[in-house]
Structure formats: C-alpha cells, structure tokens
Amino acid sequence: MMEKEGLKNSYTLYFKGVNELEQKILFPVITLNLKDMDKFTANYEDSISMFNCLPKSIKNYISENLSYNIDLEDKKSMKNRFVIKNDATNENVNILFFKDSNVVYITQKELKEKILKIIFSYKELQLILRNKESDALKLRYEFFLDLYNKYVKDKKLSTMIDTYDIKERYPKMGGDKLLISSIITDKANILVLVTKIGQKSVDKRNLTIEYRKIYKKLFDDEFLDEKLIKKRFNKDLDVVEMKKNILKNYKVFKKIYNV
C-alpha cells in the first residue's frame, strides 16, 4: 500500500491546460508522496504516453476543454505539459520518466557506494589545492563543492564534519576549504553527508540526479543494473488506489470549476 502523508509531504501532478478563452489552467491528475509519484511517472516514456494512459474520462475532459492550441499527439506541443508541484510550497519538481528509472529505484546504500568511488586521495587533494587538477578530478571536486554549498555551508550539517585529519596535515587551513577538504578525503564524512541529505526524498533524488550526470562521464558501467530496476519496478504501488486518487482529483476539480 502507498504510505499516507500529509500536505507537507504530498506532491500533485498537473496537466497544464488551456481553455477556449485562452486561459491557462492547472488540472490536477494525481496526488502522492514523492517516492510514489516518481514510481508512477517512471512508467511512461514521455508526456504523451502518460496522457494516453490516463482514465478515459480524464483524457476526454482534457481533450474537450483544456487543449486549446495543444496537439495532444505532438511531442513538441506536449513537452513540459505536465508539471509536479509540492503541495505545501507550490514549488515545481522535475518529472522523472522511464529513462530516469535508475534515479527512482537506486537505494540509499547503493548511492553511498557509488559516491565513495570518487573519494579523493591526499595526493589528489594536493593537485586541487595547487590548481593542477585534471578535467576528471575537477569534475569530482565540483560535484562535492556543489553539495557543500547546498547542504553544508552555514548549516547544522557543518558541525558533523570531522576535520581532524586535514587539520593535522594542513594546520593553517580553515573555513570552507577545511570543511570541503575534510569531506572529499574522508569516507566517514561522505557517508554522513549522503545519509543526512538522503533523509528527504526530494534531496535524495536531486543528489542522485546530479551525481548521475558526472557518473556517466567518469565510468563506463551502468548507474544502476537493469535487472535490479526490473525487480523493483512499481514495488508497493497500489494501482487501484491510484486510479481512485485520479478520479477524486477530477471530481474536486469539476466541483471547483462548476463543470
């Protein structure tokens, strides 16, 4: 069964429609927690295939009332036609389709193991400090630098980073450089960082998306084995409950718009 979460942790998939008066209208399709939302959208290749798999009553309504100047069968016209919003903040969250299944189904443990593949040796750190790094080394460093700026700098997580070893090697080092150097060279610090970031679904998915970008450039192997993805695909999703969810949103929408 899908876990029940309050407004704080719920996300809604909307279709961005346009009526005959050329008014832009957000039509709510389904409301789920983010993990289940990602599993739902990962079933589809793109916006067109997702639209075509909606219940007939929903497709008909959108086609008849919210498709002004929209070609529902054209990739360009349908691109970005769906959007996911955080119900609490109204912020947009990018949609993960089938091609992103490796992001959806990777476990916290697997993500940690993959990120540990780019831990820095002290020799590599020295190259960074002297600005003599290779492109691959720079790519790895910039990944950690981005994480640092987003999740550690001036935040509570900064107090959890162990700086002892770096202070021993570089007594005069301080500030951001000390913390970043301590993170990239210490397995325990990397594990703490990834664990804390991964406590929120949206942060874990963002971290995974960013790491996947450089993983493809650094390594030849798959980001996540296809056999594992197939084994986990749609695990714990309640299809019947999801259809009820979609029809409920439709009913509420019609009531609000008096249709």
Side-chain angles (χ1 to χ4, degrees):
M1 293 292 290
M2 290 176 290
E3 56 188 286
K4 293 182 178 180
E5 295 186 341
L7 182 66
K8 181 180 177 181
N9 298 307
S10 66
Y11 292 75
T12 299
L13 173 72
Y14 293 90
F15 178 83
K16 296 191 291 184
V18 181
N19 65 17
E20 58 184 7
L21 299 177
E22 298 188 44
Q23 296 172 317
K24 296 179 181 179
I25 295 177
L26 285 177
F27 177 87
V29 177
I30 190 168
T31 303
L32 299 165
N33 63 65
L34 190 57
K35 286 183 180 179
D36 287 340
M37 181 66 78
D38 287 341
K39 291 178 184 178
F40 172 78
T41 59
N43 278 281
Y44 309 106
E45 295 287 342
D46 53 26
S47 294
I48 294 176
S49 62
M50 186 154 65
F51 174 78
N52 288 333
C53 287
L54 292 176
K56 187 176 180 180
S57 58
I58 309 297
K59 287 193 296 181
N60 287 343
Y61 179 80
I62 291 175
S63 179
E64 294 169 7
N65 301 280
L66 298 174
S67 62
Y68 182 78
N69 278 344
I70 299 173
D71 186 343
L72 298 172
E73 297 180 356
D74 179 72
K75 283 189 176 183
K76 186 176 180 180
S77 183
M78 286 291 283
K79 186 178 181 181
N80 301 322
R81 189 54 58 185
F82 284 96
V83 61
I84 295 173
K85 287 183 174 290
N86 181 317
D87 290 335
T89 65
N90 205 41
E91 293 176 330
N92 288 1
V93 175
N94 56 315
I95 297 177
L96 301 183
F97 286 113
F98 183 76
K99 63 181 175 61
D100 303 305
S101 296
N102 50 16
V103 173
V104 176
Y105 289 102
I106 194 169
T107 66
Q108 179 83 300
K109 181 181 178 182
E110 289 163 345
L111 181 58
K112 289 177 182 177
E113 291 172 350
K114 289 191 175 296
I115 292 180
L116 283 176
K117 292 179 71 172
I118 61 169
I119 192 172
F120 279 66
S121 66
Y122 287 115
K123 184 178 180 180
E124 289 174 326
L125 173 62
Q126 192 67 22
L127 291 173
I128 289 289
L129 295 176
R130 292 179 178 178
N131 294 317
K132 293 183 177 181
E133 71 275 16
S134 64
D135 289 342
L137 210 59
K138 186 177 181 180
L139 201 62
R140 288 159 58 193
Y141 183 75
E142 288 179 344
F143 168 76
F144 281 115
L145 181 61
D146 183 57
L147 292 194
Y148 174 78
N149 288 327
K150 285 181 180 177
Y151 302 104
V152 181
K153 186 178 174 65
D154 300 326
K155 294 182 175 62
K156 186 178 179 180
L157 186 49
S158 64
T159 63
M160 301 180 188
I161 303 303
D162 184 356
T163 60
Y164 180 82
D165 289 339
I166 292 297
K167 281 182 178 178
E168 284 286 297
R169 286 177 174 269
Y170 303 94
K172 295 182 180 180
M173 186 182 287
D176 295 334
K177 188 172 289 186
L178 173 65
L179 285 171
I180 295 168
S181 298
S182 298
I183 290 170
I184 67 177
T185 57
D186 191 312
K187 177 180 177 180
N189 282 332
I190 292 176
L191 291 176
V192 166
L193 183 62
V194 178
T195 298
K196 290 298 179 180
I197 293 173
Q199 288 178 347
K200 292 184 178 180
S201 294
V202 66
D203 289 338
K204 176 181 176 286
R205 98 202 284 262
N206 288 340
L207 170 62
T208 307
I209 290 169
E210 290 306 311
Y211 185 60
R212 185 179 63 166
K213 290 178 184 177
I214 73 160
Y215 192 89
K216 291 179 178 180
K217 298 177 181 178
L218 295 173
F219 305 104
D220 292 330
D221 60 325
E222 290 181 296
F223 188 67
L224 185 63
D225 186 74
E226 288 186 7
K227 291 181 180 178
L228 284 177
I229 296 175
K230 289 179 180 178
K231 186 177 180 181
R232 297 168 185 173
F233 212 78
N234 284 337
K235 186 178 179 182
D236 298 327
L237 281 187
D238 187 329
V239 178
V240 174
E241 189 65 28
M242 285 185 356
K243 188 172 181 179
K244 289 181 181 178
N245 187 323
I246 292 173
L247 294 174
K248 180 181 178 182
N249 273 341
Y250 176 42
K251 184 177 180 181
V252 171
F253 177 85
K254 289 204 302 179
K255 185 176 182 180
I256 292 174
Y257 282 86
N258 296 314
V259 295

